[in-house]
Amino acid sequence: MKLYATSIPQFLPSWATVISNEAGLIEVEINDEDPGFHSIIEELSTEIELGLVGVKASDLCQRLSIEMVDTNEEN
């Protein structure tokens, strides 16, 4: 799984790796098979819609102190 961010903390968990950092866009790859990642996912899981449980990307990024790229922003 990959996340695209505009800022990240100096230290990321072992299951998150910066792939590239060009022109203010940081590409972070997540090892979604790592047990540490699974424990955070379990903590953040909520019912997103009736009968649908998951994790909002914004909640995960907030927990990791990552500022996500807002694809809804108009340039």
Side-chain angles (χ1 to χ4, degrees):
M1 174 171 86
K2 292 184 182 179
L3 296 174
Y4 296 91
T6 55
S7 69
I8 59 171
Q10 184 174 1
F11 299 103
L12 290 171
S14 61
W15 41 262
T17 306
V18 173
I19 301 299
S20 66
N21 184 354
E22 297 180 24
L25 183 64
I26 305 164
E27 182 179 8
V28 180
E29 186 167 52
I30 304 293
N31 176 0
D32 56 8
E33 294 184 13
D34 188 283
F37 178 71
H38 281 273
S39 67
I40 286 182
I41 294 300
E42 288 175 15
E43 288 178 34
L44 296 175
S45 291
T46 59
E47 188 170 42
I48 296 172
E49 291 181 8
L50 185 60
L52 178 64
V53 176
V55 175
K56 294 179 182 176
S58 60
D59 291 345
L60 178 60
C61 288
Q62 181 179 13
R63 176 68 175 269
L64 297 174
S65 299
I66 292 174
E67 188 174 327
M68 230 170 59
V69 173
D70 186 355
T71 57
N72 294 322
E73 269 185 19
E74 292 186 25
N75 295 337

